[in-house]
Amino acid sequence: MKTRRVLLPLLAILLAAVVFIGAPRAEEGFWPYNSIPKAAIKAKYGFDVTDAWLNHLQLSSVKFPGGTGSVVSPNGLMLTNHHIALSAALQRLSTPEKDLVKNGFYAPTLADELKVPNMTVRILQTIEDVTAKITAAVTPGMTPQEAATARQKAIDAITAEPPAGVSKSVVTLYAGAVYNLYTYKVYSDVRLAFAVEYQTGFYGGDEDNFTYPRYCLDMAMFRAYENDKPALTPNYLKWSPNGTVENELVFTTGEPGATQRLNTVAHLKYRRDLAIPYAIANNEMREAAVKKFAALSAENARATTSELFGIQNSLKSQRGQLKGLQDPAVMASKEAGEKRLRTELAKNAAKDKELGDAWGIIEKSIDVARAIDAERNFISSAAGLNSTLFTQARQLVRNAYTPPSAEGRGGRGGRGGGAPAAQGGAPAGGGGGRGAAPALNIVREKINLTESLTFMQKFLGPTHAIVKRILGDKTPAARANELIDGTRITDSEIRLLLQAGGKATIDASTDPMIVLARSLEADAQAVTKKYDDEVVSVHGATYPKIGQAVFAVDGAKAYPDATSSLRLSYGAVKSYMEDGKKILPYTYFAGIYERSAQHNGQAPYDLSPRWAEAKASVNPKTPFDFVSTNDIVGGNSGSAVVNKKGEVVGLIFDGNIQSLPGYFIYQEPINRAVSVDSRGIIEALAKVYKADAIVTELTGKALVAGKK
C-alpha cells in the first residue's frame, strides 16, 4: 500500500469557504429538485435552468440499491456503476461455474438479459412539502421522546398504503426543519444487461481507490421491465457524442448519502474523537476476518468479493473523514461558521430566544454519548461478538423477555453481531444487512468471533470490565471455540423449542450462547434506552432549531444536508493542484496500458484478457475518466453527469482523496468528483466488449470496428 497523500491544510481556503452554516460557495451543495439555486447558476455560468429541464432530469434519475443510476434509452435501459451492480446483482447471480464478477456479462439480445431476484429500482415522480402536517403533530409540552413518536405517527399516516407499483417516503431536510413527501414509481422486474469484469470495474484496486488519475471503467447496465416487457421510459438521458471540455458546466443527479455539514462543532469533535476511530477499528477487524476466510479457498475468495470491497471502501472513506476532522484548519473553519451563524442569529432577539439554546442542548447530549460509548458499542451493539449464532441467541432472549407486541419491534438494544455503532453523522446504533442470510459456515463463524473478541480486547484493553465480563479468563480464540462448540442453537429444532418455551425456557437454558446473551440483555436495553432518550430524541427535537436558524440567517441560499434522496449538484470539469503539481482533468485509454506496463502487469494493475487483446483496436486518445468540482459523497455512485442539454457526458464513480472530508466540509480548490467519460464508455463497449446492441441503443449507431 502506497503512502497516502496528506490532505491540504489550506487555512485561508477553508476559512474563506466556512461551509454550509457559514456562507455557502456557488458550486457547493446537494440541492433538492424543488429548491435549485437557478439564479446562482445563471449568474456564474449564464445558463437558465428551466422547470422542464429539471423535470426531465428528475424523471430520468433512478434510485438503485446502494446508489444511483439513470435511464438512458426509451426502453428502460439504465446506467449505473459496476460496484453498485456487484452487490445488487453480480455476486448474487454468480456461481463457481459462471462467475459474473470475474468475467463480466453482456446480453446481446433482450432474451439474454438476466432477471435479478428481489431487486427493485425507483424513479422519483413528485415532491410535496408536508412540513405543516408533520410539525402539527408535535404539541407544546411534549418530551423529546413524545415528540419523536408523534412525528413518526404522522409520517406513517402520510406514507401508508400506497398503490401497487408506488412507494412513498418522507424526506427530512435541514435536520427536521422541513419535511418533503417523495413519491416513486417502483420497478420490481430488473434485469442485468451488461457489466464489465471486476478487474476493469475496479482497476487499480484499493490502492487507487479515492485517488486520481484513474483508469477505471466502473459501469454496468440494467433494464427495467413491466409485464414481462421492457419498460417504456419516455424520459431518458440522451448520450453526448462529444463529451466535455475543461471548464465546461456539468450537473450530477443522484442520491448522496447522509452528510453532517449541519452538525455542531461539539458533535463533530465526538465523531473525531470516538465515533469514527471506533468505526475504523471495527471495519479493520471485519476486513481481517474476511481475508482469513477468503484465503482458505478460491470459492471463499469469490463469495466474499463484494463484502471485502464494501469494507475496504468504507475504511478508506472513514480514514479520509478522520484525517479531515483532525486537520486544525478544517475544525477552525467549522468553528468560524458556527460562530458566524450564532452571532447573526443573536441580532434577532426573538429568533435567538426561540432557537439559540440548541447548541448547548446538543453539547449536553454529546456528553452523554461520550460517557456511554463503550457500553453502547460493546454491550448494546455487541461489537466484540461478530457471530450469527450470537445474533440468533440474542434474538431468542429478546423475544422471550420483550415480546414483539410490547415494543412493536421485538425489543431494543442493538442487533448484536458487531455492527458498527457510529459511522455516520449522529451516533447511530445497530444496523442490518439486505436479503436473506447465507447458510451458516462454522469455520467462518469461528474466524469472525475470534477476530471480534480480539478487537474488543485490544480496543478496550484487557482489564476493562466489559472484556472481563465477556471473555472471563479465556483467550479470544478459546472463548470463541467454547461458545460455538458448546451451543446447540445451530440446530433449527432446538431454536424452535427455545422460542416456543418462552421466558421460562430461556431462563433455564445452559446453552453458552443463550447464557451470554441473557447476561447482557438488561444492560443492553438500559444503555439503548438512555441513548435513545438522551441523545437520539434530543437531537431529533433540537437539530431542527439549527435548521431553522440557518433559514433565518441565510435563507434560500443554504442547502440541506444530504439524506440519501435525489439531489442535483453542479460544477465544472476542472484541474486541481496536489503537492505542488497540477492534476489535469482527463485520463486517456493509452494510460491504462502505460500504467499496467509500469507495474509489470502485476495486480491490481494487470489487464483483463479482453483489454489486453483490444490494445491495437482502441483509440489511445479516447478520454477514459475525468474530474469535476461537483459536490458529491457516497451514494452518488452511479450518478449521471450531464451537460446543459441534459445529455450524458459521464458517470460518477468516486471522489479524489481530498473529497473524503466532504461529509462535513466542501473545499472547491481541491475537492473533485471522479467520473467515467461517456466517450470512453462507448469506445470500450464497441471495441473491447463488442456490445454492438447496447452501443446502437445508446447512440443510434455503432462505431466501426478497428477504427481509431
Side-chain angles (χ1 to χ4, degrees):
M1 183 69 68
K2 65 185 178 183
T3 302
R4 292 291 165 214
R5 300 174 180 94
V6 177
L7 293 180
L8 195 61
L10 298 179
L11 181 57
I13 291 173
L14 294 172
L15 290 179
V18 185
V19 183
F20 186 35
I21 58 172
R25 294 172 65 88
E27 295 181 6
E28 174 191 341
F30 313 102
W31 297 97
Y33 268 71
N34 57 348
S35 58
I36 303 299
K38 298 177 182 179
I41 298 171
K42 171 72 171 177
K44 182 162 185 178
Y45 292 103
F47 176 61
D48 286 308
V49 177
T50 66
D51 289 342
W53 186 89
L54 285 172
N55 188 59
H56 176 70
L57 201 57
Q58 174 185 311
L59 292 171
S60 303
S61 303
V62 184
K63 190 178 187 71
F64 266 80
T68 306
S70 56
V71 184
V72 289
S73 92
N75 297 307
L77 189 65
M78 300 177 292
L79 174 69
T80 189
N81 286 147
H82 175 272
H83 73 262
I84 298 298
L86 179 64
S87 57
L90 299 178
Q91 192 83 61
R92 297 165 62 196
L93 294 173
S94 288
T95 65
E97 297 74 30
K98 190 175 182 180
D99 191 344
L100 304 187
V101 174
K102 180 180 179 181
N103 300 316
F105 176 79
Y106 168 50
T109 70
L110 294 176
D112 296 312
E113 294 178 349
L114 299 179
K115 186 171 183 178
V116 186
N118 303 314
M119 182 177 176
T120 61
V121 297
R122 298 186 286 169
I123 296 179
L124 178 62
Q125 304 296 301
T126 62
I127 302 174
E128 178 188 352
D129 189 338
V130 292
T131 305
K133 295 179 181 178
I134 304 298
T135 57
V138 179
T139 58
M142 280 186 171
T143 66
Q145 296 79 15
E146 291 168 340
T149 299
R151 281 192 296 269
Q152 190 57 53
K153 285 184 178 179
I155 290 171
D156 291 344
I158 290 171
T159 58
E161 299 181 2
V166 174
S167 71
K168 295 186 176 184
S169 176
V170 171
V171 174
T172 303
L173 303 172
Y174 301 99
V178 175
Y179 295 90
N180 283 343
L181 175 64
Y182 281 31
T183 300
Y184 297 88
K185 179 176 177 61
V186 180
Y187 292 95
S188 55
D189 184 349
V190 180
R191 306 186 191 184
L192 180 66
F194 176 84
V196 300
E197 60 275 67
Y198 184 81
Q199 179 56 21
T200 302
F202 194 41
Y203 186 78
D206 188 53
E207 296 226 1
D208 275 7
N209 196 20
F210 293 114
T211 67
Y212 199 76
R214 294 290 292 277
Y215 302 92
C216 198
L217 195 75
D218 192 348
M219 64 154 295
M221 289 185 164
F222 293 83
R223 194 182 303 276
Y225 278 71
E226 287 187 298
N227 301 316
D228 207 34
K229 296 179 180 180
L232 299 179
T233 48
N235 285 286
Y236 69 95
L237 303 179
K238 294 183 178 180
W239 208 267
S240 168
N242 301 316
T244 59
V245 296
E246 187 167 5
N247 297 316
E248 181 176 347
L249 170 65
V250 289
F251 299 84
T252 61
T253 176
E255 308 256 351
T259 56
Q260 298 87 43
R261 296 184 186 178
L262 194 60
N263 278 184
T264 66
V265 170
H267 200 155
L268 290 175
K269 288 180 178 178
Y270 166 80
R271 297 187 68 239
R272 177 195 67 193
D273 299 340
L274 293 175
I276 298 180
Y278 161 76
I280 290 171
N282 191 303
N283 271 325
E284 287 173 342
M285 171 268 292
R286 289 172 172 268
E287 179 187 36
V290 172
K291 285 183 173 180
K292 283 189 176 182
F293 179 69
L296 297 178
S297 73
E299 173 56 17
N300 289 356
R302 183 199 68 78
T304 56
T305 299
S306 176
E307 182 180 4
L308 184 60
F309 171 87
I311 292 170
Q312 292 179 330
N313 194 61
S314 294
L315 269 173
K316 189 164 285 187
S317 176
Q318 290 160 353
R319 287 166 179 154
Q321 292 178 56
L322 183 60
K323 190 84 169 177
L325 287 173
Q326 290 173 335
D327 188 332
V330 170
M331 292 307 295
S333 75
K334 299 302 294 186
E335 289 167 351
E338 184 168 294
K339 181 179 180 181
R340 183 197 72 87
L341 180 61
R342 298 184 72 174
T343 299
E344 291 298 315
L345 182 67
K347 294 176 182 178
N348 183 329
K351 285 291 183 183
D352 191 48
K353 182 178 180 180
E354 177 188 358
L355 308 172
D357 63 347
W359 288 268
I361 293 172
I362 289 172
E363 185 167 10
K364 184 178 179 181
S365 75
I366 292 298
D367 289 341
V368 174
R370 285 178 177 272
I372 63 173
D373 200 64
E375 288 78 7
R376 194 167 63 87
N377 289 335
F378 292 97
I379 298 293
S380 288
S381 293
L385 295 162
N386 182 20
S387 160
T388 300
L389 290 169
F390 176 78
T391 301
Q392 292 173 347
R394 168 165 273 189
Q395 196 58 54
L396 287 166
V397 170
R398 188 153 294 162
N399 288 344
Y401 285 16
T402 312
S405 59
E407 285 285 350
R409 54 192 173 106
R412 299 151 50 130
R415 72 167 182 93
Q423 295 187 53
R434 178 176 55 83
L440 187 68
N441 184 305
I442 293 298
V443 173
R444 184 163 191 195
E445 191 76 356
K446 288 188 175 182
I447 290 173
N448 286 351
L449 187 51
T450 300
E451 288 294 317
S452 59
L453 288 169
T454 302
F455 155 63
M456 176 189 68
Q457 185 182 60
K458 181 179 178 181
F459 192 85
L460 294 178
T463 62
H464 196 285
I466 293 175
V467 175
K468 291 291 188 182
R469 182 174 180 180
I470 293 174
L471 284 182
D473 59 357
K474 294 181 173 60
T475 66
R479 182 61 166 146
N481 286 332
E482 177 183 61
L483 289 166
I484 293 170
D485 291 341
T487 188
R488 296 182 64 198
I489 61 173
T490 51
D491 186 328
S492 60
E493 292 186 5
I494 296 295
R495 292 198 303 272
L496 288 172
L497 288 172
L498 286 166
Q499 186 170 353
K503 186 175 183 299
T505 302
I506 291 294
D507 284 343
S509 175
T510 59
D511 185 290
M513 281 290 188
I514 296 292
V515 171
L516 178 59
R518 192 175 64 211
S519 72
L520 299 176
E521 185 61 12
D523 287 342
Q525 297 284 351
V527 170
T528 300
K529 184 177 188 306
K530 184 176 182 67
Y531 184 74
D532 285 350
D533 292 350
E534 299 182 37
V535 182
V536 175
S537 296
V538 171
H539 288 186
T542 309
Y543 262 117
K545 289 187 174 184
I546 294 182
Q548 292 165 23
V550 170
F551 269 136
V553 172
D554 291 327
K557 69 181 180 180
Y559 62 91
D561 262 319
T563 55
S564 297
S565 54
L566 188 64
R567 306 294 180 90
L568 187 74
S569 74
Y570 64 97
V573 178
K574 197 171 183 179
S575 60
Y576 64 102
M577 298 298 296
E578 181 178 79
D579 299 333
K581 179 183 177 182
K582 185 176 183 179
I583 307 298
L584 297 176
Y586 296 99
T587 61
Y588 300 89
F589 269 42
I592 192 171
Y593 296 102
E594 293 167 0
R595 196 162 181 80
S596 180
Q598 289 167 359
H599 293 272
N600 299 314
Q602 297 299 304
Y605 301 105
D606 49 321
L607 296 169
S608 74
R610 286 192 188 95
W611 279 81
E613 293 167 5
K615 183 177 181 180
S617 61
V618 299
N619 183 347
K621 296 181 180 179
T622 303
F624 206 131
D625 296 332
F626 69 90
V627 291
S628 64
T629 60
N630 297 79
D631 197 357
I632 66 159
V633 293
N636 273 116
S637 291
S639 296
V641 185
V642 302
N643 59 18
K644 291 186 287 188
K645 295 180 181 180
E647 298 171 329
V648 175
V649 294
L651 173 66
I652 294 285
F653 72 92
D654 206 356
N656 64 355
I657 199 76
Q658 294 88 343
S659 72
L660 292 178
Y663 287 91
F664 47 84
I665 192 167
Y666 175 77
Q667 305 167 70
E668 189 276 335
I670 55 175
N671 187 316
R672 292 293 180 271
V674 185
S675 301
V676 187
D677 196 292
S678 61
R679 293 164 290 188
I681 291 174
I682 294 298
E683 181 78 357
L685 286 172
K687 307 280 187 65
V688 180
Y689 298 98
K690 314 300 182 186
D692 294 340
I694 289 180
V695 173
T696 300
E697 187 168 0
L698 291 175
T699 68
K701 60 181 180 179
L703 297 180
V704 177
K707 185 177 179 181
K708 293 188 178 180

